[in-house]
Amino acid sequence: ALATQDAIWDHDFATDITRGNDNLYKMYGYSREKDQINLGTFIDHVHPDERDALLSKLEIAVEKKVALITEEFRFRNVNGEYTHIYDRAFIKYDADGKPVRIMGAMQDITGRVLSEAAILREKELSDKIINSLPAVFYLYTTAGKFLRWNKNFELVTGYSASEIQQLHPLDLFDEAEKIILADKIRNVFVVGQDTVEANLLTKTKTRLAYYFSGMRIDYEGESCLMGFGLEFSNKVAAEKSIKESEQKFRSLVEEATDGVSIISPDGMVLYISPAGVRMTGHTEAMIKAMNVFSLTHEDDIPDFTATVKHAMNNPGLPVKTPPYRMLHRDGEWR
């Protein structure tokens, strides 16, 4: 009793008197010589919301002749503040099965309870944050066991929480992509982070183009991969549309009888259509190696240069180029 930090108590059912060590009297703010503790005193110090439940549990234990009972409750200390108590008690019965004495130890666990509450609040906050992300969020171990994920992960993949717990990250990809995904995951645990573009395979076997990132973190003493995935199906569709438009544009330009060219402000030819190549008599490679002004008659360069400058200062507006003479490969001015 002297060695422990707990409040040791011993209650006599016959006399309704509770005695204990110094820690017990300190909790009540009582004097061992002047004050007496009984069951009523104890119940009065228990939080009002927990008194009935505590008494009910004691009555059931006595009725069933239970010897050992434990309980957590809030107890009003000498300062009038409620502390969290973990109480372990042993009940002694007589030959007729009636309770004679009950002895226990009350341990102040306020620090632990407050720490657990703080951790719970932080977890609730982090859950709200990751569930608000438009991306899919995931956290899994080196063995591929999912520890945390957001609601969007469930919505996108189509898997329930219990199903995700049984999944390995590579189960969410086609066989053809599993090799590179496995390499990327290993690289995260070695280097610290990595990214990859891959098709996420949903429960219904739908493939969704995603950009994935991964970062190695220590989570509850274990090395884990934390990351998110952003869908870029719209980006892929846009890129596909752009490529199709470029192909149509190229087909239109290359089949035209007029010469079409793209020229930089300093006169370098960035693109010239087949018809334009034929008009110069040079090859495409030769034209791109020359400056367009070197093929222009010196008397026409001022007007041609002014027109190019005007076009550059008025982007998007059609500009009519004045007639100018261009040197053909055969040495004639056309």
Side-chain angles (χ1 to χ4, degrees), residues 127-182:
D127 284 343
K128 289 180 181 178
I129 292 173
I130 65 175
N131 283 327
S132 69
L133 294 174
V136 295
F137 172 88
Y138 41 83
L139 174 70
Y140 53 83
T141 66
T142 53
K145 178 178 175 58
F146 283 101
L147 299 179
R148 294 186 71 180
W149 58 88
N150 61 355
K151 291 294 183 183
N152 205 33
F153 190 93
E154 296 178 17
L155 292 174
V156 171
T157 64
Y159 289 103
S160 66
S162 58
E163 290 173 325
I164 293 173
Q165 289 177 336
Q166 305 302 318
L167 288 177
H168 187 280
L170 294 180
D171 293 335
L172 297 168
F173 301 94
D174 276 330
E175 291 297 328
E177 292 188 301
K178 285 185 178 181
I179 296 177
I180 186 171
L181 262 297

Side-chain angles (χ1 to χ4, degrees), residues 169-312:
L170 294 180
D171 293 335
L172 297 168
F173 301 94
D174 276 330
E175 291 297 328
E177 292 188 301
K178 285 185 178 181
I179 296 177
I180 186 171
L181 262 297
D183 287 340
K184 290 289 185 177
I185 291 172
R186 280 193 294 269
N187 197 47
V188 169
F189 286 108
V190 173
V191 178
Q193 60 183 14
D194 207 340
T195 61
V196 67
E197 293 181 5
N199 292 307
L200 181 67
L201 189 65
T202 68
K203 186 177 179 179
T204 59
K205 305 306 178 185
T206 302
R207 293 169 181 79
L208 302 174
Y210 262 77
Y211 170 85
F212 296 99
S213 74
M215 176 183 294
R216 185 187 67 234
I217 68 166
D218 288 328
Y219 182 76
E220 295 183 351
E222 187 172 6
S223 183
C224 296
L225 184 150
M226 180 184 72
F228 65 87
L230 285 171
E231 184 179 8
F232 66 101
S233 299
N234 292 336
K235 176 187 173 185
V236 172
E239 290 177 345
K240 181 180 179 182
S241 177
I242 291 171
K243 288 181 180 178
E244 290 176 351
S245 298
E246 288 177 344
Q247 290 172 354
K248 291 177 181 178
F249 170 77
R250 186 176 292 275
S251 298
L252 180 65
V253 168
E254 292 184 350
E255 292 176 5
T257 55
D258 293 338
V260 180
S261 62
I262 300 177
I263 302 171
S264 69
D266 57 359
M268 299 305 295
V269 179
L270 306 178
Y271 170 81
I272 186 166
S273 68
V277 172
R278 290 192 297 271
M279 290 171 68
T280 65
H282 298 282
T283 64
E284 182 179 357
M286 292 171 64
I287 295 172
K288 288 186 175 181
M290 295 184 289
N291 191 292
V292 70
F293 296 118
S294 67
L295 299 174
T296 304
H297 194 285
E298 60 180 358
D299 294 340
D300 300 332
I301 287 179
D303 288 341
F304 185 63
T305 303
T307 302
V308 171
K309 184 177 181 180
H310 177 72
M312 294 300 170

Side-chain angles (χ1 to χ4, degrees), residues 1-237:
L2 291 173
T4 183
Q5 296 292 323
D6 297 348
I8 305 298
W9 54 273
D10 182 4
H11 181 74
D12 189 320
F13 281 104
T15 62
D16 189 27
I17 295 177
T18 303
R19 297 180 176 83
N21 65 352
D22 291 341
N23 292 331
L24 178 69
Y25 290 94
K26 287 179 182 178
M27 286 182 63
Y28 282 95
Y30 286 1
S31 166
R32 181 189 296 275
E33 292 77 17
K34 298 179 181 180
D35 301 307
Q36 183 173 294
I37 303 172
N38 54 34
L39 183 60
T41 311
F42 167 71
I43 293 299
D44 183 61
H45 280 71
V46 174
H47 194 283
D49 295 343
E50 298 166 347
R51 291 172 185 171
D52 291 342
L54 197 62
L55 285 172
S56 177
K57 186 171 183 179
L58 178 59
E59 290 174 2
I60 293 173
V62 170
E63 182 182 344
K64 295 183 177 181
K65 306 297 183 291
V66 175
L68 181 65
I69 58 174
T70 61
E71 187 62 61
E72 289 189 19
F73 53 87
R74 285 169 289 177
F75 184 88
R76 190 178 72 252
N77 62 19
V78 62
N79 298 320
E81 301 172 347
Y82 282 97
T83 57
H84 293 266
I85 298 296
Y86 175 65
D87 196 5
R88 304 176 303 282
F90 180 80
I91 305 175
K92 182 180 179 181
Y93 300 89
D94 62 15
D96 296 326
K98 293 182 179 181
V100 179
R101 291 171 62 191
I102 178 171
M103 172 182 266
M106 297 168 63
Q107 181 182 19
D108 189 337
I109 58 170
T110 304
R112 190 198 77 187
V113 171
L114 294 179
S115 296
E116 290 175 350
I119 292 171
L120 182 61
R121 287 195 299 271
E122 289 180 5
K123 184 179 184 301
E124 289 175 348
L125 176 61
S126 64
D127 284 343
K128 289 180 181 178
I129 292 173
I130 65 175
N131 283 327
S132 69
L133 294 174
V136 295
F137 172 88
Y138 41 83
L139 174 70
Y140 53 83
T141 66
T142 53
K145 178 178 175 58
F146 283 101
L147 299 179
R148 294 186 71 180
W149 58 88
N150 61 355
K151 291 294 183 183
N152 205 33
F153 190 93
E154 296 178 17
L155 292 174
V156 171
T157 64
Y159 289 103
S160 66
S162 58
E163 290 173 325
I164 293 173
Q165 289 177 336
Q166 305 302 318
L167 288 177
H168 187 280
L170 294 180
D171 293 335
L172 297 168
F173 301 94
D174 276 330
E175 291 297 328
E177 292 188 301
K178 285 185 178 181
I179 296 177
I180 186 171
L181 262 297
D183 287 340
K184 290 289 185 177
I185 291 172
R186 280 193 294 269
N187 197 47
V188 169
F189 286 108
V190 173
V191 178
Q193 60 183 14
D194 207 340
T195 61
V196 67
E197 293 181 5
N199 292 307
L200 181 67
L201 189 65
T202 68
K203 186 177 179 179
T204 59
K205 305 306 178 185
T206 302
R207 293 169 181 79
L208 302 174
Y210 262 77
Y211 170 85
F212 296 99
S213 74
M215 176 183 294
R216 185 187 67 234
I217 68 166
D218 288 328
Y219 182 76
E220 295 183 351
E222 187 172 6
S223 183
C224 296
L225 184 150
M226 180 184 72
F228 65 87
L230 285 171
E231 184 179 8
F232 66 101
S233 299
N234 292 336
K235 176 187 173 185
V236 172

